[in-house]
């Protein structure tokens, strides 16, 4: 086995990180529009609406809203077979609560998808990629409320019906599992629009919101298949394989528990029901999920067709070193002495990529679509105008080789591979511009200054050859 003939090579972006035009053509405020700029070690702030004196980098992003034709032409030069992006929910329903959608927003995505099809590029579309209307946060605290499920389903139905002949591959919620990291407020907020007050049982609030996410996803999957039986609708998991620091059984059990918490999301999406362990976890953490009588049936009838994964790194956990938290996400994780790290302290682990895909393939026996993988780095424009990002080429080469081994040696069915931030986006975690991922450089600085001109990096022509040869030339 090698990569399938119809393997979907391409790139990945998200509407809120590239589009800009946050208040144009009827668009309402989204949750990304109230995130300030941060930096490595300095968290982004979530503000109560747009406040004077704060800087919101997603408002302009890289102006893809105006440059999308130019950018898609560059993607076509690389030979992209697909582009993963998202529909910005408040572009379609500005508050999420309107009875009728915003026609100007719908028309933008019609034009975007038409432009992709002009170059035979398949759209791979996420419905909720950290872009919930902020009005739903203000009124309902996001998906903590069951009412927001109905808002999402209305939005999903609108998108499915409008683009039923233009989009085949869909994802419901981006990296839905990130929000089990409840100590990082950014994740529950961006995944579900949840905000906390002092004294809240955060796990109670988050897992109630998660249940509503899962119900909304299942309902959308069923509706989508009814509208077009040829739709391929997947979930999206932030795949972060967890290693035990030693062969001490305590470390192994801790790693297993974190894997259980991560895979709970794919268990529900793929199997149609909650795993057994979660009920004891809920009891031990004073979590009482409100469910409706029909919820079990909804989950069972809304199983996904494939698993979309984002992969950047692995984590290593130690039960004996509970004060350590190398990632800042509360995993009791420690540095892995066998792995190098990026400037942002993310472990570089191509073998972990293959390992993670095997875990999912063995557990679910569903096709896998790698919808994000990439390297954030500081790129330098040389005096001659070139950008020599050999480090990015090396990173991607090693990860594609690992994916190739997963296909050829392990027999895993991989649908496609999209490199994250194929054109430099605003960084989600920090709001920075200097943390760059793309094959295409955008002349924009952290403070928003710059010409916004596009420039090819060295990796541009390298990836073009990868696509041309279906992964044979790396």
């Amino acid at each position: 086995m090698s990569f399938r003939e119809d393997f979907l090579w391409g790139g990945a972006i998200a509407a809120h990180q590239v589009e800009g035009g946050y208040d144009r053509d009827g668009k309402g405020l989204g949750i990304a529009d109230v995130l300030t700029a941060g930096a490595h070690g300095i968290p982004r702030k979530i503000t109560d609406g747009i406040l004077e004196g704060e800087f919101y980098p997603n408002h302009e992003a890289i102006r893809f809203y105006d440059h999308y034709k130019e950018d898609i032409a560059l993607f076509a030069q690389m030979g992209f077979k697909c582009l993963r992006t998202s529909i910005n929910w408040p572009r379609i329903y500005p508050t999420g609560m309107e009875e009728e959608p915003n026609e100007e927003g719908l028309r933008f995505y019609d034009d975007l998808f038409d432009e992709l099809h002009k170059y035979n590029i398949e759209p791979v579309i996420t419905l909720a990629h950290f872009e919930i209307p902020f009005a739903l946060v203000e009124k309902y605290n996001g998906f903590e409320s069951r009412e927001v499920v109905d808002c999402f389903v209305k939005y999903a139905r609108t998108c499915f019906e409008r683009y039923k002949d233009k989009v085949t591959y869909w994802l419901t919620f981006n990296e839905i599992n990130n929000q089990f990291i409840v100590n990082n407020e950014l994740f529950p907020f961006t995944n579900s629009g949840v905000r906390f007050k002092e004294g809240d049982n955060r796990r109670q609030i988050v897992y109630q919101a998660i249940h509503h996410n899962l119900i909304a996803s299942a309902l959308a999957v069923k509706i989508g298949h009814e509208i077009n039986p040829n739709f391929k609708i997947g979930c999206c998991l932030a795949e972060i394989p967890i290693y035990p620091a030693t062969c001490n059984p305590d470390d192994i059990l801790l790693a297993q528990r974190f894997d259980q918490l991560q895979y709970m999301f794919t268990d529900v999406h793929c199997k149609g029901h909650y795993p057994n362990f979660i009920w004891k976890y809920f009891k031990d953490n004073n979590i009482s999920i409100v469910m409706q009588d029909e919820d079990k049936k909804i989950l069972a009838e809304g199983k996904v067709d494939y698993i979309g994964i984002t992969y950047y790194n692995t984590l290593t956990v130690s039960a004996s070193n509970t004060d350590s938290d190398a990632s800042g996400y509360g995993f009791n994780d420690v540095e892995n002495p066998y792995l190098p790290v990026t400037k942002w302290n993310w472990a570089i682990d191509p073998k972990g990529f293959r390992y993670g895909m095997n875990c999912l393939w063995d557990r679910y026996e569903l096709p896998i679509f790698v919808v994000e993988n990439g390297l954030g780095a500081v790129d330098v424009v040389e005096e001659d105008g070139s950008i020599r990002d050999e480090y990015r080429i090396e990173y991607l080469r090693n990860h594609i080789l690992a994916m190739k081994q997963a296909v050829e040696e392990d027999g895993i069915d991989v649908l496609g591979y999209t490199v994250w931030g194929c054109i430099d986006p605003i960084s989600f975690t920090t709001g920075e511009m200097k943390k760059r991922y793309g094959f295409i450089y955008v002349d924009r600085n952290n403070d928003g200054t710059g010409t916004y001109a596009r420039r090819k990096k060295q990796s541009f022509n390298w990836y073009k050859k990868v696509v041309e040869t279906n992964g044979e030339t790396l």
Side-chain angles (χ1 to χ4, degrees):
M1 277 178 60
S2 57
F3 293 121
R4 50 165 71 202
E5 289 185 9
D6 60 350
F7 193 83
L8 291 170
W9 296 98
I13 50 178
H16 72 277
Q17 289 170 267
V18 297
E19 281 182 1
Y22 83 102
D23 60 351
R24 289 169 52 186
D25 301 324
K27 180 185 172 295
L29 278 187
I31 49 180
D33 296 321
V34 298
L35 294 180
T36 66
H40 183 46
I42 302 173
R44 304 182 75 174
K45 290 187 294 185
I46 302 165
T47 61
D48 190 13
I50 296 174
L51 304 183
E52 187 175 350
E54 295 286 359
F55 176 56
Y56 301 93
N58 297 75
H59 285 187
E60 286 296 312
I62 63 166
R63 299 179 182 173
F64 181 76
Y65 194 70
D66 297 306
H67 289 260
Y68 71 90
K69 291 186 177 182
E70 170 193 350
D71 295 339
I72 290 170
L74 289 168
F75 300 155
Q77 285 183 35
M78 280 185 279
F80 277 20
K81 308 299 182 187
C82 72
L83 177 71
R84 183 214 173 189
T85 186
S86 59
I87 294 173
N88 207 330
W89 184 351
R91 245 185 233 295
I92 310 304
Y93 288 96
T95 69
M97 294 173 279
E98 292 82 2
E99 291 299 318
E100 298 297 327
N102 173 30
E103 178 60 29
E104 288 183 283
L106 289 168
R107 193 180 306 120
F108 169 72
Y109 293 105
D110 269 320
D111 295 343
L112 174 63
F113 300 154
D114 288 345
E115 194 70 16
L116 289 169
H117 284 298
K118 184 170 84 173
Y119 297 100
N120 296 314
I121 298 173
E122 186 83 25
V124 179
I125 301 304
T126 309
L127 288 168
H129 194 137
F130 310 155
E131 290 145 356
I132 298 166
F134 185 64
L136 296 178
V137 177
E138 294 180 301
K139 184 167 184 177
Y140 294 116
N141 203 32
F143 274 93
E144 184 184 6
S145 171
R146 184 82 181 206
E147 281 83 352
V148 178
V149 172
D150 295 333
C151 296
F152 178 82
V153 170
K154 175 182 61 179
Y155 157 67
R157 183 186 291 276
T158 297
C159 294
F160 289 149
E161 290 178 343
R162 178 75 171 224
Y163 308 119
K164 64 180 183 295
D165 299 321
K166 296 185 179 185
V167 178
T168 299
Y169 290 91
W170 299 87
L171 296 155
T172 51
F173 289 88
N174 181 67
E175 294 185 337
I176 188 172
N177 59 309
N178 273 347
Q179 54 195 323
F180 86 84
I181 309 169
V182 296
N183 64 305
N184 187 315
E185 293 192 24
L186 188 63
F187 288 142
F189 179 72
T190 52
N191 274 274
S192 292
V194 165
R195 294 185 295 186
F196 301 117
K197 303 185 298 294
E198 187 175 348
D200 279 345
N201 179 346
R202 292 190 175 194
R203 283 188 172 85
Q204 167 66 38
I205 293 171
V206 170
Y207 276 94
Q208 184 66 65
I210 288 168
H211 177 68
H212 292 152
N213 289 160
L214 295 168
I215 292 294
S217 177
L219 288 168
V221 170
K222 185 179 181 184
I223 290 167
H225 285 149
E226 290 169 353
I227 291 170
N228 185 343
N230 293 320
F231 279 169
K232 304 296 182 186
I233 309 176
C235 59
C236 181
L237 178 79
E239 172 66 349
I240 308 176
I242 307 295
Y243 298 149
T246 70
C247 55
N248 183 326
D250 289 338
D251 290 349
I252 293 169
L253 284 169
L254 182 62
Q256 182 185 54
R257 176 44 53 94
F258 281 124
D259 275 340
Q260 287 175 317
L261 288 169
Q262 286 198 85
Y263 292 146
M264 185 275 288
F265 297 83
T266 34
D267 285 344
V268 179
H269 277 115
C270 301
K271 297 179 179 180
H273 60 81
Y274 280 97
N276 288 330
F277 94 91
I278 200 68
W279 307 113
K280 184 64 165 63
Y281 178 82
F282 285 168
K283 182 179 179 181
D284 290 346
N285 287 277
N286 195 28
I287 298 168
S288 178
I289 302 301
V290 177
M291 299 186 183
Q292 297 185 3
D293 292 341
E294 69 271 21
D295 284 359
K296 286 185 179 180
K297 185 173 184 286
I298 290 171
L299 295 177
E301 293 179 347
K303 291 181 283 188
V304 296
D305 302 311
Y306 68 93
I307 302 170
I309 66 168
T310 71
Y311 177 81
Y312 296 96
N313 62 317
T314 52
L315 292 177
T316 303
V317 298
S318 169
S320 63
N321 195 355
T322 55
D323 291 334
S324 180
D325 181 15
S327 69
Y329 295 155
F331 275 95
N332 296 340
D333 57 306
V334 294
E335 291 186 12
N336 188 325
Y338 299 98
L339 298 175
V341 297
T342 70
K343 292 182 184 296
W344 280 264
N345 206 35
W346 291 18
I348 300 174
D349 187 5
K351 291 181 180 178
F353 185 28
R354 178 182 177 186
Y355 168 71
M357 283 191 283
N358 269 280
C359 291
L360 293 169
W361 179 246
D362 290 347
R363 192 177 183 114
Y364 304 112
E365 299 179 339
L366 283 176
I368 293 171
F369 199 148
V370 182
V371 295
E372 289 183 30
N373 176 235
L375 176 68
V378 178
D379 296 331
V380 176
V381 181
E382 306 291 346
E383 289 186 7
D384 63 0
S386 65
I387 302 165
R388 299 166 194 160
D389 57 342
E390 296 96 341
Y391 40 85
R392 181 167 291 108
I393 293 172
E394 179 185 10
Y395 176 97
L396 294 174
R397 178 189 293 120
N398 289 335
H399 282 76
I400 293 172
L401 278 170
M403 179 175 63
K404 190 176 178 69
Q405 290 173 319
V407 171
E408 295 181 350
E409 299 179 29
D410 306 330
I412 299 175
D413 184 8
V414 183
L415 299 176
Y417 174 82
T418 58
V419 176
W420 171 250
C422 49
I423 181 169
D424 290 340
I426 297 294
S427 170
F428 162 64
T429 52
T430 66
E432 293 176 293
M433 194 68 204
K434 73 173 185 179
K435 185 182 182 184
R436 297 178 181 271
Y437 285 88
F439 304 120
I440 301 164
Y441 183 93
V442 179
D443 180 28
R444 181 197 191 277
N445 302 311
N446 279 356
D447 62 2
T449 59
T451 66
Y452 290 80
R454 276 57 168 156
R455 185 191 301 267
K456 299 175 185 177
K457 303 178 190 177
Q458 182 181 350
S459 56
F460 184 102
N461 288 322
W462 172 82
Y463 193 60
K464 179 180 180 181
K465 184 63 67 174
V466 172
V467 176
E468 281 177 356
T469 62
N470 201 22
E472 291 302 312
T473 300
L474 297 173

